[in-house]
Amino acid sequence: METAEWYRYFAEREVRGHSPAYEALALGIAADPRLLELIDGLPEPKRQPNLLLAAVRFLGGPYDEFGRFREWTASHWAEVRETMLARRTQTNEAGRCASLLPVLARLPQPLALVEVGASAGLCLYPDRYRYRYDDGPEIGPAGSPVLLTCRTNGKVPVPQRLPEVVWRAGLDLDPIDVRDDEAVRWLECLVWPEQTDRLARLRGAVRMARQDPPRLVRGDAAAALPDLVAAAPAGATVVVFHSAVMPYLDAEARDRFVALVRNLPVRWISNEGSPRLPFLLPKLTADLPERRLAFLPALDGEPLAMAGPHGEWLDWLA
């Protein structure tokens, strides 16, 4: 989509109701020829709204009022551009584990997890977080610093116990070391301003991961995924999973990735925005929400649910 349309979509379908500051900025950018011209000078994948907004915050720019944001961003564009080119939107939202947990728990145990697009690897620890679905009891280790809450609809198979994970590894083009304070500060800038719960969740997950940093491999899926899958221990169900990775692949690269993972001896869990894996759409048994972005948790190419982008809600399909 055109850049202005992209920023309007971000304002109206992604941050509306979650971040008034970002909604106002994104709508302002969508109507501002000066900023749109600057953004359009970037490679297409680097024009992402969240990348621009995070870069400005990372550099200490204002984000509470569009006029101040506009002037600061335009006058500091060289620094903003450099930051956007050097970094990625690696939100690494641990809350998505609430969408993945019911799928992981129903697979033959134990599990060996391989996450594509792992960022700092915070979603590789679904067995170390606490969960509460609706008003049900907490599931998970009582001492965990992270509690993930999720509203449900339909017959969600909420597990009684967490999956058994015996091995975990992540793959990313630019993996983030949870022990690197500056890299973690970038992750924090990717959290939308008013979302204090998300920020606290991120910080708790980082503290937990620093005690046992994940194995992260630098590389793309085509080159590195087969070897990483082969390294998983015998006797475990190998699960390749990913969340919010497809927006960074064009259609040809996406199709190559799908073909690759289908030909590996793994179970495949995808958790992507509804437009990103179009072959899932005809298989849905319910209509997509009209006014909010829905992710589609799917197992081996079969959609199981619709979910919030950050794991905040989960609607199970019949």
Side-chain angles (χ1 to χ4, degrees):
M1 60 181 72
E2 296 294 327
T3 303
E5 184 183 358
W6 193 352
Y7 277 73
R8 279 193 297 270
Y9 181 94
F10 179 75
E12 297 169 357
R13 298 291 295 276
E14 297 190 39
V15 297
R16 179 164 292 172
H18 300 288
S19 176
Y22 272 11
E23 180 182 353
L25 292 183
L27 289 174
I29 294 165
D32 191 281
R34 182 185 183 193
L35 288 182
L36 290 174
E37 182 179 9
L38 293 173
I39 296 167
D40 282 336
L42 293 164
E44 192 274 337
K46 292 292 186 177
R47 301 171 194 169
Q48 303 151 25
N50 207 31
L51 181 60
L52 169 62
L53 298 171
V56 171
R57 290 174 64 195
F58 188 74
L59 295 170
Y63 54 90
D64 56 345
E65 193 272 324
F66 177 68
R68 294 177 64 235
F69 172 91
R70 178 182 184 272
E71 293 308 313
W72 189 95
T73 301
S75 62
H76 293 80
W77 183 247
E79 301 159 74
V80 174
R81 182 179 187 276
E82 181 180 359
T83 301
M84 293 175 71
L85 291 173
R87 295 188 177 271
R88 302 173 186 272
T89 49
Q90 298 167 292
T91 50
N92 211 195
E93 177 51 64
R96 291 175 180 141
C97 287
S99 303
L100 301 173
L101 184 70
V103 188
L104 292 168
R106 67 194 296 181
L107 296 175
Q109 307 291 310
L111 305 180
L113 301 181
V114 180
E115 184 181 13
V116 177
S119 184
L122 302 182
C123 288
L124 283 165
Y125 298 94
D127 55 328
R128 299 190 187 176
Y129 299 137
R130 292 178 291 132
Y131 302 83
R132 180 184 292 129
Y133 293 88
D134 302 312
D135 296 322
E138 282 190 16
I139 309 164
S144 173
V146 178
L147 172 64
L148 307 180
T149 60
C150 181
R151 305 185 309 275
T152 72
N153 186 45
K155 298 180 179 179
V156 178
V158 177
Q160 299 299 308
R161 59 179 59 88
L162 299 187
E164 180 187 359
V165 180
V166 295
W167 188 85
R168 64 194 94 217
L171 175 64
D172 200 280
L173 290 173
D174 189 18
I176 288 177
D177 186 343
V178 291
R179 297 161 294 189
D180 183 334
D181 290 341
E182 192 73 351
V184 170
R185 189 171 77 84
W186 171 248
L187 290 182
E188 293 183 356
C189 288
L190 288 164
V191 176
W192 303 339
E194 299 87 350
Q195 295 192 316
T196 55
D197 288 348
R198 279 186 68 200
L199 183 59
R201 188 162 64 215
L202 171 64
R203 288 172 173 170
V206 167
R207 288 198 304 273
M208 184 275 300
R210 279 178 167 174
Q211 298 173 15
D212 180 22
R215 175 186 179 185
L216 299 178
V217 174
R218 184 182 300 273
D220 65 14
L225 185 57
D227 287 343
L228 201 53
V229 166
T237 300
V238 183
V239 181
V240 170
F241 72 99
H242 52 92
S243 294
V245 170
M246 295 299 109
Y248 309 112
L249 303 180
D250 60 28
E252 184 178 344
R254 179 197 66 211
D255 291 345
R256 287 198 304 269
F257 172 78
V258 171
L260 170 66
V261 74
R262 284 187 183 277
N263 284 303
L264 291 171
V266 302
R267 305 304 299 270
W268 168 37
I269 299 176
S270 58
N271 184 40
E272 300 287 343
S274 56
R276 302 304 180 179
L277 293 174
F279 68 87
L280 295 177
L281 298 178
K283 302 179 182 182
L284 295 179
T285 57
D287 293 334
L288 291 166
E290 291 186 2
R291 295 294 181 182
R292 59 180 178 176
L293 176 65
F295 276 36
L296 300 178
L299 177 63
D300 299 330
E302 296 296 324
L304 300 176
M306 294 185 284
H310 303 134
E312 66 273 32
W313 56 270
L314 184 64
D315 293 356
W316 207 255
L317 300 173

